[in-house]
């Protein structure tokens, strides 16, 4: 059995407590997407500094702890980009994932065994695209090892994901989260 660290790509990173993420958000409100009233918002992945900051955290986790991999939860805590711009910024999210893959390959070389990447994505490709996730490229370029499919819907398009992952090492696992929804379904 492999053990993964689950990293929520956006939101719920101790926003309401006196922790590092809250302090960083308060120090850089220009890095945020305001989606509700209050002092904090969600990270705007269109901002290069946001991507660099989040990659630094992922690097620290990968290098410091002996997990088998890290599961990036892209689907909960959307939006990742300002409203209406997600698909236009898909290359930024793919580049983020490409840089994270480079980190995991480096860690894998140092420890002598694989370091896997999981990604939680919406239950269908339309939802993924709406949120700026170019899952087809992620699969084609082998930027992920495991896809966790679905958020708040029992109607997961397993057939579409199977077509994309056929002939690859990438595994897909449908799931349901009855509490969170992607921006495209909220």
């Amino acid at each position: 059995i492999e053990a993964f660290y689950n990293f929520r790509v956006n939101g719920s990173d101790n926003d309401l407590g006196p922790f590092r993420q809250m302090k960083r958000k308060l120090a850089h409100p220009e890095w945020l997407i305001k989606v509700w009233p209050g002092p904090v918002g969600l990270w705007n992945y269109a901002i290069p500094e946001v991507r660099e900051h989040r990659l630094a955290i992922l690097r620290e986790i990968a290098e410091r702890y002996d997990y088998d991999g890290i599961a990036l939860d892209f689907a909960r805590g959307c939006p990742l980009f300002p409203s209406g711009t997600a698909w236009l910024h898909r290359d930024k999210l793919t580049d983020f994932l490409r840089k994270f893959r480079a980190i995991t390959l480096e860690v894998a070389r140092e420890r002598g065994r694989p370091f896997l990447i999981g990604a939680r994505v919406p239950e269908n490709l339309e939802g993924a695209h709406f949120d700026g996730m170019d899952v087809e490229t992620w699969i084609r370029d082998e930027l992920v090892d495991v896809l966790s499919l679905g958020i708040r819907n029992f109607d997961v398009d397993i057939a579409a994901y199977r077509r994309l992952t056929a002939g690859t090492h990438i595994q897909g696992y449908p799931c349901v989260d009855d509490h969170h929804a992607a921006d495209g379904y909220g």
Side-chain angles (χ1 to χ4, degrees), residues 3-8 57-58 61-62 65 67-73 115-116 118:
F4 280 73
Y5 181 93
N6 190 62
F7 184 82
R8 195 174 291 184
I57 293 169
L58 288 166
I61 294 166
Y65 302 101
Y67 289 106
D68 295 299
I70 294 178
L72 301 173
D73 190 342
F115 194 99
L116 305 173

Side-chain angles (χ1 to χ4, degrees), residues 67-179:
Y67 289 106
D68 295 299
I70 294 178
L72 301 173
D73 190 342
F74 288 101
R76 297 188 306 185
C78 285
L80 303 169
F81 300 105
S83 182
T85 69
W87 188 245
L88 299 173
H89 290 297
R90 68 189 177 275
D91 59 322
K92 292 175 176 70
L93 204 55
T94 298
D95 183 61
F96 173 83
L97 199 51
R98 198 174 307 285
K99 287 178 179 174
F100 182 52
R101 174 56 95 190
I103 290 168
T104 64
L105 290 173
E106 180 183 317
V107 169
R109 273 190 303 276
E110 289 174 8
R111 70 183 194 172
R113 64 185 174 89
F115 194 99
L116 305 173
I117 297 177
R120 185 176 191 151
V121 296
E123 56 267 14
N124 60 48
L125 294 170
E126 293 82 12
H129 293 174
F130 188 88
D131 290 333
M133 299 171 218
D134 187 357
V135 179
E136 296 93 333
T137 298
W138 299 0
I139 292 168
R140 183 194 70 223
D141 294 351
E142 298 183 351
L143 300 177
V144 296
D145 301 295
V146 178
L147 289 172
S148 182
L149 312 171
I151 299 133
R152 198 177 202 177
N153 191 324
F154 287 99
D155 191 21
V156 177
D157 191 354
I158 297 170
Y161 284 110
R162 276 191 180 157
R163 279 192 300 277
L164 290 172
T165 59
T168 73
H169 74 281
I170 300 166
Q171 300 294 307
Y173 298 96
C175 65
V176 162
D177 177 344
D178 67 351
H179 180 69

